[in-house]
């Protein structure tokens, strides 16, 4: 069965520090992978996605993620965190079943940023 | 472009009443819409998938008679929570996909439902 694991429920970093959020997936073939960010009481905003090609993907707000097939991982990184990055981050797998873009989400990682 | 709206953004109702939540794609035609439910500090759980003009496909464990979904047009889907109870209180999020950016899902801002 397809699944997404985000091992870190909560992460706290200092403003200006680097960030890495982990995501591991289980899927029978090459998946479509996504990272979303959710601010309190808000919907989800797509940060970046991987469909194929270059395994290092650049996204919005200075985020990037690297697809590593051998490790079944798609970790999100940012070299220097800003206080406004404090939010909930969700990794998702998008198996295409029946032509629909059905997403499976990880449990999320809550990011807190210290000034 | 590719904006999805939800209405209302929050609603409080009495136990036993029904509540309708609207999801609209404002600038594209949404051939498929998804409804998710999110409990506090938890992930999104897909409830159902709806295609314009056809019956919704519900995920296992989701009561179709409890959560009525209608996708009457390419820009509107509605979720009706019938005979709501306090355990139905949650954050409901819709998303829409169409012939935009490789069928990417675009999410609405969510609706906070509180049942008293």
């Amino acid at each position: 069965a397809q699944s997404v694991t985000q091992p870190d429920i909560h992460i706290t970093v200092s403003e200006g520090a680097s960030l890495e959020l982990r995501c591991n997936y289980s899927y029978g073939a090459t998946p479509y992978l996504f990272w979303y960010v959710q601010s309190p009481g808000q919907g989800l905003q797509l940060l970046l996605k991987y469909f194929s090609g270059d395994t290092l993907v650049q996204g919005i707000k200075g985020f990037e993620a690297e697809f590593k097939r051998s490790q079944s991982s798609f970790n999100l990184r940012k070299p220097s965190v800003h206080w406004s990055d404090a939010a909930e981050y969700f990794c998702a797998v998008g198996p295409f079943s029946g032509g629909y873009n059905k997403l499976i989400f990880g449990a999320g990682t809550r990011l807190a940023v210290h000034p | 472009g590719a904006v999805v709206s939800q209405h209302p953004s929050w609603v409080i109702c009495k136990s036993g009443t029904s509540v309708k939540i609207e999801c609209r794609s404002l600038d594209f035609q949404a051939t498929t819409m998804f409804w998710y439910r999110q409990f506090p500090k938890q992930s999104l759980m897909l409830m159902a998938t709806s295609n314009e003009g056809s019956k919704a496909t519900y995920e296992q464990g989701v009561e179709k008679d409890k959560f009525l979904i209608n996708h009457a047009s390419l820009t509107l889907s509605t979720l009706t929570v019938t005979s709501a109870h306090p355990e139905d209180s949650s954050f409901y999020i819709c998303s829409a996909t169409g012939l935009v950016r490789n069928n990417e899902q675009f999410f609405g801002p969510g609706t906070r439902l509180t049942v008293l």
Side-chain angles (χ1 to χ4, degrees):
Chain A
Q2 298 98 359
S3 66
V4 178
T5 302
Q6 293 181 246
D8 305 305
I9 297 173
H10 197 133
I11 284 183
T12 300
V13 299
S14 298
E15 190 169 18
S18 62
L19 172 70
E20 181 170 31
L21 303 182
R22 296 183 290 165
C23 173
N24 293 95
Y25 65 89
S26 174
Y27 186 60
T30 301
Y32 296 92
L33 295 158
F34 306 81
W35 273 99
Y36 288 89
V37 60
Q38 183 182 35
S39 297
Q42 302 293 314
L44 273 70
Q45 181 181 21
L46 179 67
L47 286 175
L48 46 80
K49 60 189 176 188
Y50 172 78
F51 282 176
S52 65
D54 193 346
T55 57
L56 184 63
V57 181
Q58 301 297 320
I60 62 170
K61 303 185 179 185
F63 286 94
E64 66 177 27
E66 186 172 12
F67 170 58
K68 293 186 177 180
R69 184 191 302 274
S70 61
Q71 299 177 19
S72 297
S73 70
F74 189 57
N75 295 348
L76 181 71
R77 300 193 294 252
K78 186 170 184 177
S80 178
V81 171
H82 188 262
W83 64 267
S84 60
D85 293 324
E88 186 91 22
Y89 291 80
F90 293 97
C91 181
V93 169
F96 276 71
S97 173
Y100 306 140
N101 191 0
K102 184 175 176 178
L103 294 176
I104 298 171
F105 286 86
T109 297
R110 183 168 296 275
L111 174 66
V113 180
H114 279 326
Chain B
V3 178
V4 176
S5 69
Q6 280 185 244
H7 179 78
S9 56
W10 59 270
V11 57
I12 301 173
C13 68
K14 293 182 179 180
S15 185
T17 60
S18 294
V19 175
K20 179 183 285 187
I21 301 170
E22 292 185 349
C23 176
R24 294 182 184 271
S25 57
L26 299 184
D27 50 6
F28 69 101
Q29 293 186 326
T31 50
T32 304
M33 286 185 169
F34 302 85
W35 287 95
Y36 296 86
R37 183 174 182 176
Q38 185 180 29
F39 291 103
K41 299 185 180 181
Q42 293 189 29
S43 187
L44 282 74
M45 299 301 296
L46 180 65
M47 299 174 65
T49 303
S50 74
N51 294 291
E52 185 264 339
S54 61
K55 290 184 178 180
T57 301
Y58 290 81
E59 295 299 302
Q60 191 172 6
V62 177
E63 299 175 59
K64 61 181 66 177
D65 295 329
K66 174 77 170 174
F67 299 99
L68 300 179
I69 292 172
N70 183 276
H71 191 164
S73 77
L74 285 171
T75 59
L76 173 64
S77 176
T78 60
L79 167 67
T80 301
V81 183
T82 63
S83 187
H85 290 283
E87 58 266 29
D88 298 323
S89 298
S90 191
F91 194 52
Y92 292 89
I93 300 175
C94 75
S95 70
T97 183
L99 297 178
V100 180
R101 283 191 240 161
N102 294 319
N103 289 317
E104 178 182 326
Q105 276 192 44
F106 299 95
F107 287 81
T111 297
R112 172 77 57 196
L113 170 63
T114 302
V115 184
L116 302 177

